[in-house]
Amino acid sequence: MRRTVQIPVGIQSLFGTLDENLKLLESALRVTTQLHDDHLSIEGETAQVDRAVRILNEYNQLVREGRHMNHSDVKAMIRVATEDPKTTLRQVLEPGAPARARVFGKKTVTPKSSNQRQYMESIEKNDMVFAVGPGGTGKTYLAVAMAVSALLTKQVSRIILVRPAVEAGERLGFLPGTLQQKIDPYMRPLYDALYDMLDADKLERFLEKGIVEVAPLAFMRGRTLNDSFVILDEAQNTTSEQMKMFLTRLGFNSKAVITGDITQIDLPAGRRSGLVEALEVVGGIEGIAFVNFNERDVVRHNLVQQIIKAYEEFGGGEVRRTAPAENGRTEPVK
């Protein structure tokens, strides 16, 4: 089957650098395209051609409405729309009828895969979300973005970001300086995400007033966290006791997001990861959502996807750990 689509004004954004967006559309939907003067012809199986035409027509409509999108935004939208036939480009740009609009400070944040979209929607709909998968899939960054949105739209009154202070093979305990200076290296990724979302002056004020708090997990003991958006990052490095302590801190009108990569556990030999245990213990509790990321969700350099896949294949003979699916049953974490 062959159909044609009118080419809009924003052709550069649509095609992307070296036509990468067009190539993504072709490979994902198994169609071929050919550019003519003012239109694009698409050939392939009828159903796939119809999907490609729908996506391009949706893009044309967004351009006519005055939407300005760079080629990376378009690539993300095409990627999500081709992965999930039910998702439109508009749904990627605009949340699916949440209670409140998303506001991300100085950034515009859009999901770059269907799992990222599911993750953002799960955070909106649930008070507790577990996100498990390799680095570079946006687990921490999107959680911080949703926390900033919740704070700026007054859904919560503070953000609390915590990490277990476990060295990833290095020994930092003998560094000179105050306790805070010793802790900062562990917390730097969280600060980086915050500075990406908020102006430096505003973030400094939030930190000074305690509206935004970045602290080691050990500092959470004995606290009850009300009206807060709490993120536990690098949760694979928690002990069983630490994870139970954290999960029972949640107070009224609060959300908790727990992120981790169970292939990157830095605990001493013989200590079981609190994240791995928690996935088994709370997997059947209604109201807790679980999102499993894999190498296809990686939004770093293209080589990172291939490296993650290569390591998975290299360790293919090892025992696979599992994480609960949406229905509470366990399934392999890719």
Side-chain angles (χ1 to χ4, degrees):
M1 178 183 181
R2 179 176 179 176
R3 292 182 61 182
T4 60
V5 181
Q6 193 75 21
I7 295 298
V9 176
I11 186 172
Q12 294 86 357
S13 296
L14 172 61
F15 285 9
T17 305
L18 300 177
D19 294 345
E20 62 177 342
N21 294 344
L22 207 56
K23 292 174 183 175
L24 173 63
L25 187 71
E26 289 180 333
S27 63
L29 299 182
R30 299 185 300 280
V31 297
T32 58
T33 63
Q34 185 174 356
L35 177 63
H36 302 283
D37 291 338
D38 60 349
H39 65 278
L40 190 72
S41 62
I42 307 170
E43 292 188 42
E45 295 182 3
T46 301
Q48 301 298 74
V49 170
D50 288 343
R51 282 184 64 190
V53 169
R54 177 178 65 81
I55 289 172
L56 293 173
N57 283 335
E58 289 169 1
Y59 175 82
N60 287 345
Q61 181 60 37
L62 291 170
V63 171
R64 283 194 292 269
E65 292 174 4
R67 296 276 186 153
H68 298 287
M69 299 165 283
N70 59 41
H71 76 272
S72 61
D73 292 334
V74 177
K75 181 180 180 181
M77 290 191 299
I78 290 176
R79 186 180 182 187
V80 175
T82 54
E83 287 177 356
D84 184 358
K86 298 178 181 179
T87 302
T88 67
L89 298 189
R90 188 180 300 279
Q91 287 173 329
V92 178
L93 279 178
E94 302 170 358
R100 298 174 176 84
R102 295 173 184 163
V103 179
F104 300 111
K106 63 182 182 180
K107 292 286 288 188
T108 299
V109 179
T110 56
K112 291 179 170 56
S113 71
S114 57
N115 277 339
Q116 286 193 357
R117 179 171 178 264
Q118 178 195 344
Y119 182 38
M120 296 174 77
E121 292 181 351
S122 294
I123 291 173
E124 283 178 332
K125 296 174 183 176
N126 298 274
D127 289 338
M128 184 173 290
V129 178
F130 283 80
V132 179
T137 51
K139 304 184 302 295
T140 302
Y141 189 85
L142 291 177
V144 172
M146 295 300 287
V148 169
S149 177
L151 179 66
L152 296 180
T153 55
K154 302 187 185 305
Q155 298 175 53
V156 297
S157 62
R158 59 179 173 165
I159 297 173
I160 301 174
L161 310 178
V162 297
R163 268 189 166 201
V166 176
E167 294 102 338
E170 299 90 353
R171 296 297 176 188
L172 303 177
F174 296 102
L175 288 175
T178 64
L179 175 61
Q180 188 62 43
Q181 289 170 333
K182 289 175 182 290
I183 289 169
D184 277 351
Y186 299 102
M187 305 297 141
R188 183 48 50 189
L190 299 175
Y191 282 114
D192 290 343
L194 286 169
Y195 277 108
D196 207 28
M197 303 285 169
L198 297 168
D199 291 325
D201 291 344
K202 177 177 284 189
L203 178 56
E204 293 298 335
R205 289 197 303 271
F206 284 168
L207 290 168
E208 289 174 4
K209 295 179 179 179
I211 296 173
V212 174
E213 180 180 349
V214 182
L217 176 59
F219 288 15
M220 295 298 105
R221 189 171 299 278
R223 300 178 62 180
T224 300
L225 306 174
N226 294 318
D227 199 28
S228 304
F229 196 118
V230 193
I231 299 172
L232 172 57
D233 194 34
E234 296 290 327
Q236 76 275 5
N237 288 329
T238 61
T239 64
S240 298
E241 295 80 9
Q242 287 175 326
M243 178 59 77
K244 180 181 178 182
M245 179 271 291
F246 174 82
L247 296 180
T248 55
R249 297 307 94 197
L250 194 66
F252 295 105
N253 189 40
S254 292
K255 285 183 179 289
V257 178
I258 301 95
T259 73
D261 177 2
I262 62 175
T263 69
Q264 299 285 337
I265 297 173
D266 300 311
L267 291 171
R271 298 299 299 271
R272 192 183 191 205
S273 167
L275 175 60
V276 174
E277 181 178 272
L279 294 172
E280 298 175 6
V281 173
V282 304
I285 297 178
E286 187 176 353
I288 301 178
F290 302 89
V291 181
N292 295 326
F293 291 94
N294 54 53
E295 77 279 353
R296 292 190 300 274
D297 301 302
V298 173
V299 292
R300 293 175 180 167
H301 194 287
N302 290 336
L303 283 176
V304 176
Q305 292 186 12
Q306 299 176 47
I307 290 169
I308 292 171
K309 188 174 182 180
Y311 267 97
E312 284 186 348
E313 292 173 353
F314 179 76
E318 299 175 2
V319 176
R320 299 291 297 274
R321 289 168 174 169
T322 58
E326 291 291 342
N327 56 14
R329 296 193 299 269
T330 58
E331 60 183 21
V333 176
K334 299 181 181 178

